[in-house]
Amino acid sequence: MDAVRVALLREVLAGTEWPGAARRFAGALRRSVVPAGGNLLLVGTEGYEPWHLAAHLVDEAAWSGLPELAPTLVRHRVLPGDAPHLSVGLSRLGAARRGHTLLVVAPEQPGEGLLERVHDARRAGATVLSLDGGDPDLGALAHDVLSVPDGAAELDLDTVQHLVSAAAGENGLPVQRGRKRFRDRLARLADQLTAPPPSRW
């Protein structure tokens, strides 16, 4: 979706919560990614692969001069012969740690396997963001959530992804500068306190 269509969409949605909610969530995304880039992991569910959002974020990263917005698309199924940018499997989530951002797009229930991997990534220090259909388990794991319940009157999750990706590349949104918000520091401390002891014990 090009800038003109996004502008028209925002005009149509003026007076609803969605343009502001998308900008707020895009701001959380911008604050969570590190300027070096390469640490934004984008994953969907087994039945929904957010390749369209990945493509838009790559475009926004190039147009805005913010390479950190270009995500690594993490896929549930990688086939032999897939292009390198389509060959990153779920095992990549196991390497997520502090400095990484995990953006989960889940129109339906994410499934226990994905929830476990997201939980492990969060405990390892990754920031978790969720664009979802309102799943409470995923919402509880995420540091920030934008939910679009099935049957929302104005739009669907695909349309919200366009709003978020466009807003993420706009000038004027905050960029991570190394200082975490108090809420983020408190969440990280809670994760550390509730983590099991190291395996050597």
Side-chain angles (χ1 to χ4, degrees), residues 70-167:
T72 298
L73 180 61
V74 178
R75 305 178 71 201
H76 287 255
R77 286 178 298 280
V78 175
L79 302 175
D82 281 344
H85 69 287
L86 298 175
S87 298
V88 179
L90 284 176
S91 61
R92 177 65 179 85
L93 299 183
R97 61 190 183 283
R98 181 168 290 130
H100 287 88
T101 298
L102 177 56
L103 175 54
V104 183
V105 182
E108 73 274 348
Q109 289 185 334
E112 286 301 315
L114 181 58
L115 284 174
E116 285 179 20
R117 290 174 188 269
V118 172
H119 180 258
D120 290 345
R122 177 174 171 140
R123 282 188 22 199
T127 299
V128 177
L129 304 176
S130 177
L131 270 170
D132 59 49
D135 183 80
D137 294 326
L138 183 56
L141 288 174
H143 293 91
D144 208 320
V145 179
L146 180 53
S147 294
V148 185
D150 190 29
E154 296 93 357
L155 74 179
D156 58 15
L157 188 60
D158 284 335
T159 307
V160 169
Q161 290 177 62
H162 286 292
L163 292 173
V164 168
S165 61

Side-chain angles (χ1 to χ4, degrees), residues 10-115:
R10 286 175 176 159
E11 189 175 320
V12 168
L13 293 172
T16 72
E17 67 177 297
W18 299 111
R23 279 200 170 97
R24 180 200 58 76
F25 189 82
L29 175 61
R30 283 274 289 265
R31 285 190 302 273
S32 70
V33 294
V34 295
N39 295 320
L40 174 57
L41 305 175
L42 175 62
V43 66
T45 63
E46 193 166 357
Y48 182 86
E49 189 168 84
W51 61 268
H52 200 71
L53 177 58
H56 281 296
L57 286 173
V58 167
D59 288 344
E60 292 296 337
W63 294 332
S64 65
L66 296 168
E68 57 267 30
L69 287 177
T72 298
L73 180 61
V74 178
R75 305 178 71 201
H76 287 255
R77 286 178 298 280
V78 175
L79 302 175
D82 281 344
H85 69 287
L86 298 175
S87 298
V88 179
L90 284 176
S91 61
R92 177 65 179 85
L93 299 183
R97 61 190 183 283
R98 181 168 290 130
H100 287 88
T101 298
L102 177 56
L103 175 54
V104 183
V105 182
E108 73 274 348
Q109 289 185 334
E112 286 301 315
L114 181 58
L115 284 174

